[in-house]
Amino acid sequence: MGIDGVIEPIYFLITSIGFIILSFIQYKKTGKTLETIYLSILAVFFIICFIILKFY
């Protein structure tokens, strides 16, 4: 792995799984708050980025 400008798609998948876990924990603690919505949007965004990088 070098610094050559290539971003591996698996990093986006791992990050989106992390955001899904964080949003689930946040939802269980506080319910539907602005932070929960923000974490959910980030999870969806990173999944979309993963799909775009993987299949296009």
Side-chain angles (χ1 to χ4, degrees), residues 1-51:
M1 180 175 130
I3 304 175
D4 56 358
V6 176
I7 301 174
E8 296 293 330
I10 194 71
Y11 298 145
F12 284 96
L13 182 64
I14 292 169
T15 307
S16 67
I17 291 171
F19 279 131
I20 290 170
I21 293 169
L22 284 174
S23 62
F24 180 74
I25 292 170
Q26 178 74 13
Y27 181 75
K28 290 296 255 181
K29 279 184 156 182
T30 61
K32 190 195 282 188
T33 61
L34 187 63
E35 292 86 5
T36 309
I37 295 168
Y38 178 70
L39 288 170
S40 301
I41 290 171
L42 279 177
V44 170
F45 175 71
F46 274 83
I47 288 174
I48 291 171
C49 289
F50 168 73
I51 292 170

